[in-house]
Amino acid sequence: MELLSENRSFGGRQQVWRHASSTCNCDMTFGAYLPPQAEERPVPVLWYLSGLTCTHENAMTKGGFQEHAARHGVAVLFPDTSPRGEGVADDPAYDMGQGAGFYLNATEDPWKPHFRMYDYIVTELRALVLDNLPLRNRHGITGHSMGGHGALTIALRNPDLFESLSAFAPIAHPTTSDWGRKQLTGYLGADEASWRNHDATLLANERGWKSDILIDQGAKDQFLNLLKPEALAAALTQNRIPSTFRMQAGYDHSYFFVNSFAGDHVAWHAARLNRE
């Protein structure tokens, strides 16, 4: 791991790291906020997965998580959204290629040599940060938009790895959405059976969740028809999964929305991560 930058923030340290990824076959960059409590002891960690077009930097600088993480003694990790660099496949559209990894393992060319974001988050980066940063092996996960999709699908498939789960305006039912069908076809092929593990609504129906879930959605989100929150809300209700699903009046899809409710999500995760 190569430390690219470090800045004091609310008594803690906001770091940016780069490392060679054997999973993605390229260098990967991520942000890590270590609260002041990490100077004295390992702390639990909240993963934040970002949305389309973002890097590790967007939520790190616009999300407003550091103040709340410092208050509750929780680290926050900000992974990148895709592999990047020379030789990594890309697409002219904003919703495919670099910046749009969709947190899955691609099986189709030209994506499969590098686009393995599911394994990167679940296995490689998790092991790397536990070995090199002062973190407890207690994890929560959240994310926004494409990152909310990633948080939900990764946690629902790996309940043993995460103690808490939330999302901001997630892409909730991608197998039926233009934000999903295009990407799932491109990365995984035309066989829709292979898409099921990457749809939070289907996973909630098929697998459930061991605890409760917090979801915030802006009621004035300009992408509501693509996100399909009503499908996920119905699945949570039908499967009696304890959940708090809040439609926030007047809020859109921007980081102003994320920033407004970041404190609620950090506090919610901290309460569950600090349970023994």
Side-chain angles (χ1 to χ4, degrees):
M1 287 172 51
E2 176 188 2
L3 183 62
L4 299 181
S5 67
E6 181 174 82
N7 300 93
R8 270 295 185 191
S9 179
F10 296 98
R13 293 175 289 158
Q14 178 61 65
Q15 302 174 331
V16 176
W17 295 90
R18 180 169 59 205
H19 71 103
S21 168
S22 59
T23 301
C24 296
N25 296 307
C26 63
D27 285 348
M28 295 292 289
T29 304
F30 68 93
Y33 178 71
L34 301 177
Q37 295 86 343
E39 304 286 343
E40 301 177 357
R41 64 182 186 277
V43 295
V45 56
L46 174 60
W47 294 72
Y48 179 93
L49 305 186
S50 292
L52 287 167
T53 75
C54 292
T55 70
H56 68 280
E57 187 176 11
N58 297 76
M60 189 181 82
T61 59
K62 298 179 182 178
F65 287 91
Q66 291 86 349
E67 179 178 7
H68 310 295
R71 182 180 303 117
H72 293 284
V74 174
V76 186
L77 293 179
F78 303 94
D80 203 346
T81 54
S82 76
R84 299 178 191 273
E86 187 176 351
V88 176
D90 201 5
D91 190 279
Y94 75 94
D95 57 356
M96 283 287 288
Q98 295 186 34
F102 263 75
Y103 304 101
L104 49 73
N105 293 335
T107 58
E108 300 295 304
D109 290 326
W111 313 108
K112 66 181 180 181
H114 299 282
F115 281 70
R116 302 189 61 80
M117 290 301 295
Y118 176 85
D119 281 352
Y120 177 69
I121 298 295
V122 170
T123 303
E124 183 179 21
L125 186 57
R126 181 186 179 99
L128 187 73
V129 297
L130 287 175
D131 285 346
N132 290 279
L133 298 177
L135 304 177
R136 293 179 64 196
N137 193 16
R138 288 185 65 80
H139 304 256
I141 190 167
T142 189
H144 174 231
S145 192
M146 179 186 72
H149 143 81
L152 290 166
T153 56
I154 286 172
L156 292 173
R157 292 175 64 185
N158 298 277
D160 55 321
L161 299 183
F162 296 96
E163 279 71 44
S164 54
L165 172 60
S166 75
F168 299 82
I171 300 175
H173 198 11
T175 59
T176 66
S177 169
D178 288 344
W179 268 2
R181 294 189 65 83
K182 172 185 175 180
Q183 293 83 1
L184 295 172
T185 301
Y187 291 135
L188 300 177
D191 181 4
E192 297 190 17
S194 67
W195 302 358
R196 299 189 69 83
N197 279 335
H198 304 286
D199 186 307
T201 296
L202 300 181
L203 289 169
N205 280 324
E206 295 170 4
R207 302 195 183 201
W209 174 245
K210 63 182 181 180
S211 183
D212 52 350
I213 300 174
L214 170 63
I215 296 175
D216 275 308
Q217 171 64 63
K220 284 195 173 181
D221 192 315
Q222 59 270 45
F223 302 115
L224 274 174
N225 290 337
L226 296 169
L227 301 172
K228 298 189 177 293
E230 66 282 355
L232 179 59
L236 295 173
T237 300
Q238 290 164 6
N239 292 281
R240 300 180 181 179
I241 298 171
S243 55
T244 301
F245 201 120
R246 307 190 299 192
M247 290 293 290
Q248 300 289 4
Y251 285 89
D252 59 16
H253 198 69
S254 70
Y255 272 103
F256 295 108
F257 159 67
V258 174
N259 192 298
S260 296
F261 301 102
D264 290 357
H265 283 247
V266 172
W268 189 88
H269 282 276
R272 287 148 183 81
L273 293 172
N274 287 319
R275 292 174 185 165
E276 297 298 338

